[in-house]
Amino acid sequence: MPATPTFAETAAEAWPPISGWGARARSAARAARIRLEALKQRRQTEPFVRCLYAHAVFPDTVPTFRAFLKAAKQEGEFVDTPTLRAIIADGRPSDGRFFHLSFDDGFASVYEAGGPVMEDERVPYIMFVATDLIDADPDTLAAYFAHMPAYQARVRTLDWDQAKAAATGIGEIGCHTRTHARLSKIGHDPARLTDEIAGAKAIIEGHIGQRCDSFAWPYGTASDIDEHGRAAIADAGFTSNFSAVRGAVRPGVTDVMDIPRHQLEFHWPLHELMVWARGFREA
Ligand SMILES: [Zn+2]
């Protein structure tokens, strides 16, 4: 009999509590720094372009998620990926204030719990999916979560019907490889690179019936991708590529194939989400 995976259906089930004296002390110090920053920050009135990303919107985090979207909309307009790309490529300093919101990996909660909120609030979003995780069998999910120590339990992933439904609404489907591969580890393997990048693009386009031209590379730091991976992404026809490096987006300066993003997760307190939305720690 195949093992039946049990899935985390709340944020508390998905992410482990902070344990150990040292980790708790570091976490408390970080929380204090963020609290101090929140007290210092003012509402944003200058132009900015800022990309934000998360992984999940569990049902228990919906109230915070909705409160965050409402607060952020007071300071900037959420734009979809083609609009973001146009703002960056335009090259002139924009006098607008813009957010872009994405979700990595392809967890079902983003569509199920977060989708109705984003439809309500008219906030466009893009889900960067690792295609092998969509409609995934238990063994594939087990292999993925074995490499994801951040989670203490498996998180349910989308099925293709949900992904397609998201893309016919206010959502977009972007590419995050097939297997959540670390591209810097497979840069020497052209066949594997093609499968993970052009292969995943074809799978998404086959299921969704729309062009997929946005990519986010797994793990997202500069050391998780190399020149072979970057070339394969451009060769496959992607016209934007997102990192997970915190930073400001600067029209005419930011490379559309290396767009910085701020991570946030919606089980964090609202003031912490706003600290990142206002560009804390931007280079
Ligand atoms: Zn990822």
Side-chain angles (χ1 to χ4, degrees):
M1 209 174 80
T4 309
T6 44
F7 292 109
E9 297 292 350
T10 66
E13 289 167 358
W15 284 288
I18 293 156
S19 62
W21 184 86
R24 280 204 300 274
R26 283 191 298 278
S27 172
R30 177 180 183 275
R33 283 194 300 275
I34 288 171
R35 174 69 72 181
L36 186 63
E37 179 67 17
L39 291 170
K40 285 194 308 199
Q41 279 182 341
R42 292 289 169 263
R43 181 195 164 98
Q44 301 172 100
T45 54
E46 296 296 306
F48 66 85
V49 185
R50 189 159 295 125
C51 298
L52 312 172
Y53 88 102
H55 290 85
V57 185
F58 288 104
D60 53 328
T61 65
V62 162
T64 304
F65 181 55
R66 187 185 291 276
F68 169 73
L69 294 185
K70 285 182 181 297
K73 279 165 65 180
Q74 298 294 311
E75 303 196 11
E77 176 191 355
F78 283 87
V79 295
D80 62 13
T81 311
T83 306
L84 173 77
R85 197 185 299 123
I87 290 168
I88 294 172
D90 185 45
R92 287 171 300 185
S94 164
D95 59 1
R97 301 190 304 275
F98 300 107
F99 291 114
H100 175 268
L101 181 60
S102 53
F103 295 90
D104 282 8
D105 298 2
F107 295 146
S109 72
V110 174
Y111 173 74
E112 293 172 359
V117 179
M118 292 184 278
E119 293 281 350
D120 254 17
E121 297 292 334
R122 305 308 299 161
V123 169
Y125 65 102
I126 182 167
M127 291 189 281
F128 289 107
V129 303
T131 56
D132 281 14
L133 298 184
I134 310 305
D135 272 328
D137 60 77
D139 288 347
T140 304
L141 282 182
Y144 166 77
F145 282 103
H147 292 98
M148 289 289 158
Y151 300 99
Q152 65 174 359
R154 290 174 201 171
V155 181
R156 203 156 43 78
T157 54
L158 293 163
D159 61 39
W160 283 112
D161 287 342
Q162 291 176 317
K164 185 162 187 176
T168 57
I170 205 165
E172 303 167 72
I173 301 298
C175 186
H176 198 50
T177 74
R178 283 191 62 168
T179 67
H180 206 270
R182 197 183 301 275
L183 295 180
S184 55
K185 286 261 168 36
I186 60 169
H188 59 279
D189 185 343
R192 178 86 197 279
L193 268 186
T194 299
D195 187 42
E196 291 281 359
I197 295 169
K201 183 179 198 289
I203 289 168
I204 291 170
E205 291 177 347
H207 281 282
I208 304 298
Q210 296 177 14
R211 271 184 64 92
C212 172
D213 48 19
S214 303
F215 195 92
W217 76 85
Y219 307 99
T221 76
S223 64
D224 297 315
I225 191 168
D226 61 14
E227 71 275 21
H228 303 292
R230 290 184 189 276
I233 291 163
D235 289 349
F238 289 102
T239 55
S240 62
N241 188 18
F242 292 76
S243 79
V245 177
R246 294 190 188 279
V249 174
R250 297 194 168 81
V253 177
T254 295
D255 181 353
V256 290
M257 299 305 278
D258 198 350
I259 302 173
R261 295 185 296 169
H262 286 275
Q263 187 186 1
L264 33 82
E265 301 292 347
F266 298 106
H267 60 295
W268 298 355
L270 182 59
H271 75 268
E272 185 167 341
L273 302 176
M274 289 307 293
V275 158
W276 297 115
R278 289 169 170 165
F280 186 37
R281 300 266 167 86
E282 272 185 352

